[in-house]
Amino acid sequence: MAERLPLATVVLTRDEERHLPECLGSVAGLGRRVLVLDSGSQDATPQIARHLGAELVERPFSGYASQRNAALALVDAEWVLFLDADERLTASLRAEIAAAIRAAPPEVAGYWIPRRNWIRGRELRGGGWWPDHQLRLLRRARARYRPGREVHEVAELDGESRRLSQPLLHLNYDTLGEFRHKQASYTALRAAGLAASGARPRARSYLGQPAREFARRFVWLGGFRDGWLGLVLALLMAWYELRTWLLVRRLAGALPTAEPAALDRAVLAPAELDLSLVVVSYNVRELLLDCLASIEASLAGSGRRCEVIVVDNASPDGSAAAVRRRFPEVRVVSRAANAGFAAASNDGIRAARGRVIALLNPDTTVVGDALGTLADFLAANPGVGVAGPRLVYPNGATQPSRRRFPTRLTGFLESTIIQDYWHDNRILRRYYLADRDDAETQEVDWLVGACLVARREAIAQAGLFDERFFMYSEEVDWCYRVRATGWRIAYVPQAVIVHHEGASSRQDLPARRIVFDTSKVLLYERLHGRATARALRAFLLASYALRLGIEGGKGLVGHKRPLRRERVRLYLAALRSRLRPGGAP
């Protein structure tokens, strides 16, 4: 009778060869399906899972809530039971689960299960470790975990929840070292979520919050009943509470403020289509028309309900009229003035009606079904909020488009006079992800914005582009906010886009350099605070002064004087701008 239960058991694993056999043994025969969702185990976990008859799916770890949402999308049973590898069902709990599923009234969407915890071989009686109710038995179609809450995640139910009485066994930690290691990882995830949600510590938080946590654990929740171990655990939990708020303070300086309206939760048009493509264009009419032709060919026969929106940034070359003549089905949004890429992209996103929204530069050519491949990747990976393709140059060579977030030091090396003379260094290799194969699908920090395909939900939560970025670095800032809300960003090399890099910006190279560095300073203020941004601005301006002297000296001795005059004008304009938004180019 148990095998007829409409139940799938999901076990989350990473390097769990020690615990997994007993866990799977405790659920054998309970339902119709057992799924092991593994996050890159290096031990025998995958082999054990297959040997014991479980279905194995490998998925990079993206946070506990994201992993559980992915599992909910992978199974089709009416009910799902989530377990960790170090958890066990007893015979009495199995029987209670079976009875609960058979008798569940329609209004019930989930059941809480009490959990007994063992640490260092001792069962704990207090401190929040018992009864430690966990919402683990869920009606699949009516449960989802909120991205962004990746620690102590709780399913959000469309319906009521009830409680079971028989406990789940949790062989938690064998040593205090294991406990500390796990709590450190929880601390980092929790702090990121708090900072992204707008939480900020007050002065009293650094003393009051740890003290409250200790009192809660040791006194109010009865941790004293576990003797010295209860005392140590309460002290450790207080310490990690302090570390959480210290990390929130550090992260808060890297998160965007609410100054630009676009950074608030985005208000988008109703979702009525499968895919919206937004192309922002400035003065590249022929490239734009070729781009739209490649989009048309790529989407032909796809069966997707799509729309294409071109936002023209007051191009003087007749781009908007040419698009209307050749592609009458394309929606054209004509801006009265060129306010920059970020502002124009926001106009297109606000007008988009797709569940998935793609941003595509006009100097790109879509190869095959690249857009469909990226949209399908998002559909198959619920925790991924943004995906991007492999960008290639017109000659077919791969264009670097994957990055880690820049550290403070990166800004003083990347695209500066130092990189001119020291281009191969460890810091920049790390920044450019030189340690990863660009032919492999992978999670990244951010992607070059020539082509980004995003879920509507990720945009709604992270907000639109910050319009103070005229051009450059806006995608770094935006990807940072996307990841801060709990979504992952993926590089999908199976999708290929040809990128004729910098077609718009190369029309005014001096202005391009100034805009690039101005945006870079603004980005570093966002990521690393005002002090770092001021130091970076001073360094870049000093670099311009140094280059001005070098170029002026070469011109005086007669070396390529037209080139030297052009560069001298560039560096003088950069110094006059002071690399501040709105500064004169």
Side-chain angles (χ1 to χ4, degrees), residues 117-124 172-175 229:
N117 287 280
W118 274 261
I119 295 180
R120 296 187 79 250
R122 285 182 51 184
E123 182 180 357
L124 299 177
N172 212 336
Y173 306 102
D174 288 338
T175 68
L229 182 57

Side-chain angles (χ1 to χ4, degrees), residues 112-119 123-134 152 163 170 172-173 179 183 213-226 229-231 233-234 237:
W112 295 83
I113 304 174
R115 187 169 64 168
R116 295 166 57 190
N117 287 280
W118 274 261
I119 295 180
E123 182 180 357
L124 299 177
R125 298 177 295 165
W129 306 103
W130 170 255
D132 189 23
H133 283 94
Q134 301 289 315
H152 307 309
R163 292 179 183 259
H170 187 201
N172 212 336
Y173 306 102
F179 177 85
Q183 293 303 320
E213 178 66 7
F214 175 80
R216 186 177 76 90
R217 291 278 180 177
F218 193 67
V219 181
W220 303 331
L221 295 177
F224 61 86
R225 291 198 294 266
D226 295 306
L229 182 57
L231 175 62
L233 294 175
M237 294 303 292

